């Protein structure tokens, strides 16, 4: 059955691969599943046809036969559960890899998202100068904890897993801020993720859609 995901017709990040379809593309590339992409405009995302797939009018979505999913975490988990390559066979190791997926999305990503909100959406507000350092401190606190846990390991818990896919994807959103540079083991961890052939294929596929027009 064909897998179809949705992605931005044109991502606001201009091809940096930061929109969440890249996470789903990466997971599908890791497990070797072919997929099709339906591109949607911001306008179309808020129309009934897309809202039937995604109640919040966002991307990505995932469709395969009768299965229709939204939420990147749920989609990547679904892919990882059904195809070998992203979750260990051992039940305990599998549970720990899933734990890292949740940790990426619900413990590490929220302050990183706050930084984007503080800088971009609320950058012109009078409280921004006071708020930014607080948000940056919250991020540094999480990065310090994560850095200590990773230590000199390649991946968070043994072999590369969906937990690493999600954590690397979350940390990538910090690259432009320069904050990762203070944690060399995390910067190297992210670079290891980006060096994976499956990540490169996912990145190139979204770049083909989003690269700025020539000239
Ligand atoms: N919790 C949901 C999930 O994990 O799937 C969040 C999905 C989400 O935020 N989707 C965004 C979206 O559809 C795209 S990825 N936004 C349109 C809308 O809400 O109207 C978020 C995103 C957008 C832009 C950049 N960027 O430009 O760097 C990065 C990430």
């Amino acid at each position: 059955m064909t897998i179809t995901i949705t992605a931005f017709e044109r991502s606001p990040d201009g091809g940096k691969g930061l929109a969440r379809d890249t996470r789903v593309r990466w997971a599908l590339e890791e497990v070797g599943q072919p997929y099709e992409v339906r591109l949607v405009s911001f306008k179309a995302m808020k129309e009934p046809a897309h809202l039937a797939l995604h109640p919040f009018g966002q991307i990505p979505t995932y469709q395969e036969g009768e299965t229709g999913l939204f939420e990147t975490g749920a989609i990547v988990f679904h892919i990882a559960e059904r195809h070998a390559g992203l979750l260990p066979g051992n039940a305990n190791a599998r549970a720990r890899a899933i734990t890292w997926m949740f940790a990426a999305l619900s413990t590490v990503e929220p302050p990183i998202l706050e930084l984007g909100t503080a800088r971009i959406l609320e950058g012109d507000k009078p409280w921004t100068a006071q708020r930014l350092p607080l948000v940056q401190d919250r991020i540094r606190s999480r990065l310090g904890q994560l850095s200590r846990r990773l230590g000199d390991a390649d991946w968070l818990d043994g072999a590369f897993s969906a937990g690493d896919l999600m954590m690397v994807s979350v940390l990538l959103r910090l690259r432009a801020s320069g904050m990762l540079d203070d944690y060399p083991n995390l910067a190297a961890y992210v670079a290891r993720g980006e060096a994976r052939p499956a990540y490169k294929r996912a990145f190139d596929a979204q770049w083909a859609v989003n690269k700025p027009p020539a000239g």
Side-chain angles (χ1 to χ4, degrees), residues 8 11-21 23-24 40 42 45-46 50 54 56-61 70-75 105 109 113 120 166 173:
F8 279 132
S11 174
D13 76 354
K16 292 194 185 77
L18 299 176
R20 286 182 175 81
D21 59 285
R23 304 175 187 190
V24 176
V40 284
F42 273 99
M45 275 180 219
K46 309 301 175 202
H50 189 76
H54 195 309
F56 307 114
Q58 297 182 314
I59 60 96
T61 59
F70 59 96
E71 282 299 330
T72 311
I75 296 170
L105 294 175
E109 189 164 44
L113 295 178
I120 299 163
M166 208 55 91
R173 293 191 71 152

Side-chain angles (χ1 to χ4, degrees), residues 115-128:
L115 183 67
T117 303
R119 279 207 171 130
I120 299 163
L121 298 182
E122 298 172 359
D124 59 347
K125 302 289 186 232
W127 60 78
T128 297

Side-chain angles (χ1 to χ4, degrees), residues 4-8 20-21 24-25 36-40 50 53-54 58-63 69:
T4 304
I5 67 168
T6 51
F8 279 132
R20 286 182 175 81
D21 59 285
V24 176
R25 292 174 187 271
E36 292 181 358
V37 183
R38 193 163 53 75
L39 301 176
V40 284
H50 189 76
L53 299 173
H54 195 309
Q58 297 182 314
I59 60 96
T61 59
Y62 173 105
Q63 286 169 279
L69 300 174

